[in-house]
Amino acid sequence: MAQSQTGALRVAVTGPNGAPLAGATVVIKSPDSLSPKTATTDAEGRVRVGGLDPSTNYTVTISAGGYSNFSADHVAVVSGKDLSVGYALAAEGNTIEEVVITGRSLAAVDVTSATVGTTLTLQTVESLPTGRNYQSYLQLVPGVKPSSGGNPSSRSGVNYSDVGGAIGSSSDNLYYLDGVDVTDPVTGTFGANFNSEIIQEQQVIVGGVPAEYAGGSGLVSRVVTKSGSNEWHGSVNYYLQNDSLVAKDKHSTSGGYKTYDTAFTLGGPIIKDKLWVFGSYQKKHREDEVLNATTGATIRNVSRNEKYAFFKGTWQITDNDRLTGTFFNDPTKLSGQRDATILNNRDYSRKQGGDNYKVDYTHTWNDLRVNAYAFKHKSELTDIAVDSTIRDNVTFRTTAQSTLQQRSLGGRGINFEEHRDRKEYGLNFEYFLDTKLGTHTFKGGYVNTDNTYFQTDSVPGGVTYASIDKQYLGTTYGQYIGSGWTARAIASTDTAGFILPALNASASAKALLDTNGNGSISQTELNALVFNSTAGNPYGNVNVYRSVRAADAPYTVSSKGETLYLQDTWTIDRLTVNAGLRAEKWRHFASDGSRIAKFDWDIAPRVSTTYDVFGNGRTKVFAYVGRYYDPIRNDMSDFAGALTGPVNNEQIRVGNEWITFRTRGPGDAQFAPSTKTPYTDEFMIGASTTIGSSIGFSATVTRRISKDIMEDYDLTLYSNPNATAADGAPVDPDDGVTPVPGIAFPGSPLYLPYSYFGFSSAPTTNYVIGTLAGGKREYTGYEFVLTKYKTTNWFGQLSYTHNKAYGNSNSDGNADFQGDWLALDPRAPNIWGRQAGNIKHQVKAYGSYDFPFGLQVSSVFNWNSGSYYTPADVVSSRYLPPMGDVRPVGGINDTYVLPGFVGSGKNPSYYTLDARLKYVQKLPVGEAEFFLDVFNILDKQSPTGVVANRAGSGQYGFEQANGWVSSRRAYLGVRYSF
């Protein structure tokens, strides 16, 4: 969704006696903006000036008959905000006195908005020790959780994935560049990279999101880029890091590395006051020596090369017409992965990135601004396995103390090429209306989005295995699906729905397993199946499971969306009400072009009230209530829409043959007609104030509830209308005693009729994508932020965030085991608990001080109390809470989750302390800057995480540390700018 890339100032002018000064002329201009603005104060001495480009170096000039002219510099304008400033003019000939109502800097309060967020200027981020990318800058924002991959969770954003038990990455954020969405439409993570030195402003919104923004349970990152100026300015820089600047790694996670990062920028006028250009090119290179985490020996060397280009042209055609064209790209190549937990035989190279284009036109009619734009985003992701041998994930008993090398034989098992592209166009407007009943700022817009996802892949050797080690020859099926293994490829829930029907359809399987001769294989007879074959196994292990690639086929799926929004910010005296509606409509299309899902207009109301407590623009209290929808992404278009894609046959070894029990590929899944769009409701109250001219304090309390969570269902478990109580709590027919897993039946607590999914009869696919019955997440957060904005020689911030998150589902736009396993149903026992990945307490602080001789000293401190996790057993790469023996609950037999496990583990607390020294040397032309960043200056390599897998990872045991703060490392840089 394109958003306003401009801000506004609300200027109040008084005479020396404090009376409002009507008819004063206000001129606002900046060297960063092509369009200076002139306005006249009203009878109350006030005027709102909109359409201002974001910058921190505006000059406000005020003139009025009988009064001395006045000029204030370093006035800040923030996109999407109405900041308040006020001045008192002295009578002509007298000393001019400036009365700053809310501060000349970013300390100014927007008393018309309940939006909560942080504005990061280039001046701020370049004064602090941070990574040189916009993803790293997010870590400066209060409440944003640690993330090694650049997609951090914020507030109620999910920070955990069952797949691999990963903590520290969220798919709930939105990333915008110059008003257009560059979020990856498949993964929900950031979808583009660029040189951080092109950033004019990065605004990070974490709550109270108005209707003009998509919003979500995570954060909204909005970057506005530079546009040039009336003078030619540029820079060239070089940063480096190598082994001599890095302390010894105490935990054998890295054997050292070296990097360099060089870039240039250049911007200026082609025609002064008319046509500006700005460009940048950045090249980044990194080489890593990856160590064996157990022995400390070098296992490989890998490199990463990134090239980021950017160009922007801004043409101020007339005072009221502006045309902007932008291009940027981010091609990146990785020779391998630097993660020490990835073995050489499972390593892979990667190629990613693509080209992006945007054209933007704006016309202004007095108080009405209209903007139209078109955007094209192209992104490639290609992974190629380094080892092309057949993959075999080998299972051991947890007591065997097997290593990761023993568990991971053969190559990665997959090569793929993906293209994740977006085309978008939109129209939006902003209209300011001043009436006797207050002022109104109307905003509205329409956006049309077309996402396409192309994939082609191959399986080296045409097959992947999941075997058990040869020492376990003679293991039975019943033993295999029980607990006590390092991992399993077959879940107990697969038995009734897929494996027994497949075996009962096989004459050879019946001949081997139907020992009582009744013509049907029972659960007990299946449990007695002996895995005693190693024939054809690529590494001589015991055959249990394999997936055979039956056909390769490239395919493309897509989704098309439309968005409408309309909002009004109504200010009357001290009170502001912002009321808006956002409507979103999405359709998903299969690889054959057919429509597979339609989500009609979802209406998201958002309302806030803000009150200027003292009427001076310095202090506000606010409240907000609103809904954020989370549209289903293209990974689900892929799941349900790959009708012409690859085919995989899942097989189980029975005697001397492999029997296919499930085919994955075309027809694997479909969208249920009743599927709803997931959403989060937010309720928030808060207050903020300005202390003096440059200190701000804010406090917020946030409550969020997420519902209509999406999952895939196996309807053979949930929706059989002919099932009876005997099917819910069956016993093995051979002994008449042993309980075996059952299915939901009409009248049982977990039963969902076909009508719940919008069907009148059983669908023909293996799975159905639907709304997770009973799925819910709840979040309550408290946040306090004290900020000293830079007005002289220092700035800083201190924040505390308290997060409380509970729920019964980690599903977050992906298909997982909930819906496929009754024991994991959100309504089943012991599922509700702490949300894995949540961090209860966070403290952040940063500060920077400028000495008069050109030296700047700064530091960043982060502490957190440690993330929660669930001690888990691994099934099909999913980290699932431990389960007990088969028992009935509500008349349904299953291996229900044991009490006290969900969210019961907690990773260690830790802190980081980073520092920067910067020295500026003025030159006859321009200046030179010298940087020294020291990360983890105390070299405190504290543990950050432990192994959640109760069987251990193969490198570390259960609850042993497996992640640490990186060792102390220095980063040197120099930049020349003019």
Side-chain angles (χ1 to χ4, degrees):
M1 179 68 210
Q3 310 134 357
S4 172
Q5 298 305 296
T6 61
L9 289 177
R10 290 178 178 259
V11 182
V13 182
T14 64
N17 59 357
L21 186 58
T25 299
V26 179
V27 179
I28 303 174
K29 61 182 179 179
S30 166
D32 294 330
S33 175
L34 268 169
S35 53
K37 301 290 185 179
T38 301
T40 303
T41 58
D42 60 16
E44 296 181 351
R46 299 177 180 274
V47 65
R48 177 189 181 272
V49 183
L52 300 173
D53 298 310
S55 177
T56 57
N57 62 354
Y58 271 91
T59 298
V60 177
T61 302
I62 304 171
S63 60
Y67 295 87
S68 299
N69 290 344
F70 173 76
S71 180
D73 56 9
H74 299 295
V75 177
V77 171
V78 177
S79 62
K81 290 189 177 183
D82 282 24
L83 300 184
S84 299
V85 291
Y87 309 99
L89 302 190
E92 193 168 9
N94 293 339
T95 303
I96 298 173
E97 178 185 4
E98 175 194 359
V99 179
V100 181
I101 291 180
T102 58
R104 293 186 301 170
S105 70
L106 292 170
V109 173
D110 183 356
V111 294
T112 69
S113 173
T115 300
V116 176
T118 300
T119 299
L120 301 170
T121 65
L122 190 59
Q123 179 188 46
T124 298
V125 297
E126 290 201 337
S127 298
L128 299 171
T130 66
R132 282 178 40 78
N133 54 71
Y134 73 99
Q135 299 94 334
S136 294
Y137 299 161
L138 297 175
Q139 291 300 321
L140 298 173
V141 177
V144 171
K145 300 177 180 67
S147 172
S148 59
N151 291 286
S153 169
S154 173
R155 300 204 175 189
S156 63
V158 175
N159 194 38
Y160 175 81
S161 172
D162 287 341
V163 179
I167 291 175
S169 181
S170 175
S171 60
D172 294 318
N173 302 332
L174 292 166
Y175 301 92
Y176 291 90
L177 180 68
D178 283 340
V180 292
D181 190 349
V182 293
T183 312
D184 190 304
V186 177
T187 63
T189 56
F190 69 84
N193 286 296
F194 45 83
N195 181 5
S196 60
E197 293 191 21
I198 72 171
I199 297 175
Q200 178 73 20
E201 168 194 281
Q202 182 174 1
Q203 191 178 126
V204 184
I205 301 172
V206 295
V209 183
E212 63 179 301
Y213 307 122
S217 57
L219 58 82
V220 179
S221 171
R222 302 177 58 243
V223 169
V224 179
T225 61
K226 294 179 179 179
S227 299
S229 69
N230 259 341
E231 302 292 336
W232 284 99
H233 295 282
S235 67
V236 59
N237 60 53
Y238 187 86
Y239 298 83
L240 67 90
Q241 192 173 60
N242 56 41
D243 291 350
S244 64
L245 300 172
V246 179
K248 182 180 179 181
D249 187 331
K250 300 175 182 178
H251 306 288
S252 298
T253 59
S254 172
Y257 57 92
K258 59 182 179 180
T259 70
Y260 71 80
D261 175 347
T262 184
F264 77 84
T265 65
L266 182 64
I270 301 299
I271 304 173
K272 284 193 174 184
D273 297 321
K274 282 291 184 182
L275 179 60
W276 289 357
V277 294
F278 181 82
S280 168
Y281 182 79
Q282 181 181 29
K283 183 177 180 181
K284 303 171 74 172
H285 174 81
R286 175 171 176 142
E287 295 180 8
D288 282 88
E289 183 180 343
V290 185
L291 302 183
N292 182 299
T294 303
T295 66
T298 301
I299 57 176
R300 64 178 176 271
N301 291 282
V302 299
S303 64
R304 179 186 181 101
N305 289 286
E306 303 164 82
K307 299 176 181 179
Y308 303 156
F310 177 86
F311 179 81
K312 182 178 183 179
T314 306
W315 181 20
Q316 193 71 39
I317 305 170
T318 71
D319 289 344
N320 297 317
D321 296 273
R322 177 182 293 186
L323 180 66
T324 302
T326 305
F327 166 82
F328 69 96
N329 66 2
D330 57 349
T332 300
K333 292 183 178 180
L334 293 75
S335 67
Q337 306 305 304
R338 64 173 186 258
D339 185 348
T341 64
I342 298 177
L343 303 178
N344 280 354
N345 54 303
R346 296 293 173 89
D347 194 21
Y348 57 96
S349 63
R350 170 167 288 182
K351 178 183 177 183
Q352 66 185 52
D355 296 337
N356 303 269
Y357 308 86
K358 182 191 177 190
V359 177
D360 185 292
Y361 171 74
T362 301
H363 181 79
T364 303
W365 290 277
N366 297 319
D367 290 322
L368 173 64
R369 296 179 66 254
V370 177
N371 170 265
Y373 76 94
F375 177 70
K376 184 177 182 180
H377 169 70
K378 299 182 71 66
S379 178
E380 175 188 355
L381 181 68
T382 297
D383 283 1
I384 303 296
V386 172
D387 186 332
S388 294
T389 57
I390 292 174
R391 184 183 76 196
D392 189 3
N393 292 335
V394 185
T395 298
F396 290 78
R397 282 292 186 184
T398 56
T399 56
Q401 297 184 334
S402 56
T403 67
L404 185 61
Q405 288 84 351
Q406 291 173 316
R407 301 180 191 180
S408 309
L409 302 183
R412 190 184 185 213
I414 189 72
N415 298 314
F416 65 81
E417 177 183 342
E418 297 177 353
H419 293 270
R420 307 167 179 182
D421 301 337
R422 167 177 287 145
K423 294 179 181 178
E424 184 173 288
Y425 64 87
L427 178 70
N428 56 78
F429 75 89
E430 177 179 331
Y431 178 59
F432 179 75
L433 177 64
D434 194 351
T435 72
K436 293 181 180 180
L437 296 178
T439 64
H440 296 263
T441 302
F442 297 100
K443 292 183 179 181
Y446 169 80
V447 168
N448 186 291
T449 303
D450 185 353
N451 297 320
T452 58
Y453 174 53
F454 166 86
Q455 180 177 347
T456 182
D457 62 28
S458 62
V459 176
V463 62
T464 59
Y465 284 77
S467 310
I468 55 178
D469 188 69
K470 56 182 69 71
Q471 65 182 296
Y472 305 113
L473 187 72
T475 294
T476 66
Y477 181 88
Q479 293 170 330
Y480 178 78
I481 63 171
S483 60
W485 298 96
T486 54
R488 305 196 310 273
I490 297 174
S492 59
T493 188
D494 291 330
T495 301
F498 295 98
I499 292 178
L500 277 174
L503 298 188
N504 276 307
S506 167
S508 57
K510 281 186 179 180
L512 179 66
L513 299 177
D514 183 17
T515 54
N516 63 7
N518 68 352
S520 177
I521 301 171
S522 68
Q523 176 76 59
T524 296
E525 289 169 331
L526 174 58
N527 286 346
L529 168 64
V530 177
F531 296 118
N532 57 9
S533 169
T534 61
N537 189 281
Y539 308 104
N541 293 306
V542 180
N543 292 317
V544 174
Y545 166 95
R546 73 178 187 180
S547 176
V548 178
R549 174 56 63 92
D552 290 329
Y555 64 96
T556 300
V557 296
S558 64
S559 62
K560 299 180 186 297
E562 294 179 87
T563 302
L564 288 167
Y565 77 88
L566 180 65
Q567 69 182 47
D568 175 23
T569 302
W570 177 30
T571 300
I572 180 168
D573 196 17
R574 301 183 187 183
L575 178 67
T576 297
V577 177
N578 183 299
L581 291 174
R582 184 180 181 86
E584 299 175 356
K585 173 183 177 181
W586 285 91
R587 294 163 291 164
H588 294 254
F589 298 88
S591 56
D592 64 356
S594 62
R595 193 181 74 193
I596 54 175
K598 180 181 180 180
F599 297 89
D600 274 324
W601 295 103
D602 290 312
I603 309 297
R606 301 179 192 177
V607 179
S608 68
T609 58
T610 308
Y611 186 69
D612 185 351
V613 178
F614 302 108
N616 59 6
R618 295 179 64 89
T619 302
K620 68 177 179 180
V621 293
F622 54 89
Y624 173 91
V625 59
R627 173 166 291 185
Y628 311 135
Y629 280 101
D630 183 14
I632 292 171
R633 299 190 296 267
N634 281 62
D635 56 344
M636 292 299 98
S637 307
D638 179 20
F639 186 26
L643 303 184
T644 57
V647 178
N648 296 294
N649 291 326
E650 293 185 90
Q651 300 179 337
I652 185 172
R653 185 72 177 195
V654 179
N656 294 322
E657 67 174 319
W658 289 99
I659 295 178
T660 297
F661 67 87
R662 180 166 50 200
T663 297
R664 310 300 298 264
D668 195 23
Q670 65 176 296
F671 281 99
S674 65
T675 304
K676 301 175 183 178
T677 304
Y679 70 88
T680 296
D681 284 338
E682 176 176 278
F683 309 88
M684 182 180 66
I685 57 174
S688 64
T689 187
T690 298
I691 304 168
S693 63
S694 61
I695 296 177
F697 175 76
S698 67
T700 56
V701 180
T702 304
R703 172 73 170 171
R704 287 181 174 177
I705 301 173
S706 298
K707 291 184 177 180
D708 286 351
I709 297 167
M710 187 217 70
E711 256 296 354
D712 67 310
Y713 274 91
D714 178 356
L715 298 196
T716 63
L717 297 176
Y718 278 90
S719 305
N720 185 347
N722 301 315
T724 65
D727 298 310
V731 294
D732 191 277
D734 292 335
D735 62 17
V737 175
T738 304
V740 296
I743 62 174
F745 57 92
S748 64
L750 301 184
Y751 180 76
L752 297 172
Y754 291 134
S755 59
Y756 173 83
F757 300 96
F759 297 116
S760 58
S761 60
T764 58
T765 53
N766 292 331
Y767 300 101
V768 165
I769 298 171
T771 298
L772 187 63
K776 184 180 180 181
R777 291 190 286 267
E778 297 182 353
Y779 168 85
T780 303
Y782 308 89
E783 190 164 272
F784 307 91
V785 183
L786 180 66
T787 305
K788 167 64 173 71
Y789 296 93
K790 189 170 185 177
T791 52
T792 52
N793 59 347
W794 75 282
F795 69 89
Q797 185 177 89
L798 173 65
S799 68
Y800 167 74
T801 307
H802 176 95
N803 301 296
K804 181 180 178 181
Y806 283 78
N808 53 21
S809 177
N810 295 309
S811 298
D812 192 32
N814 61 312
D816 222 322
F817 266 173
Q818 285 191 308
D820 307 334
W821 198 331
L822 293 170
L824 296 174
D825 189 283
R827 301 164 293 168
N830 307 317
I831 298 297
W832 183 269
R834 289 194 189 97
Q835 283 294 119
N838 183 51
I839 296 174
K840 188 173 184 179
H841 304 286
Q842 289 179 269
V843 175
K844 296 190 175 190
Y846 63 73
S848 178
Y849 185 86
D850 293 345
F851 291 91
F853 51 86
L855 179 66
Q856 182 184 78
V857 180
S858 60
S859 183
V860 174
F861 172 83
N862 287 308
W863 174 85
N864 71 80
S865 59
S867 57
Y868 291 106
Y869 68 90
T870 298
D873 296 331
V874 180
V875 179
S876 296
S877 77
R878 268 70 170 180
Y879 278 51
L880 304 179
M883 301 181 186
D885 296 329
V886 177
R887 64 185 179 94
V889 172
I892 303 173
N893 287 352
D894 212 325
T895 55
Y896 292 99
V897 170
L898 298 173
F901 276 99
V902 172
S904 63
K906 190 172 81 68
N907 286 305
S909 64
Y910 66 95
Y911 70 84
T912 59
L913 179 63
D914 308 325
R916 163 173 280 202
L917 295 176
K918 182 173 79 170
Y919 179 74
V920 180
Q921 177 64 56
K922 299 293 184 180
L923 300 173
V925 178
E927 63 182 25
E929 299 168 274
F930 302 90
F931 304 86
L932 171 62
D933 288 349
V934 183
F935 298 97
N936 190 12
I937 193 170
L938 301 179
D939 197 28
K940 194 170 179 62
Q941 300 180 35
S942 305
T944 59
V946 300
V947 174
N949 183 357
R950 298 199 303 166
S953 69
Q955 292 176 314
Y956 308 102
F958 174 52
E959 293 189 330
Q960 285 186 342
N962 65 344
W964 298 268
V965 176
S966 298
S967 60
R968 181 176 58 235
R969 56 211 185 277
Y971 198 52
L972 297 176
V974 60
R975 176 171 57 205
Y976 169 74
S977 56
F978 64 93

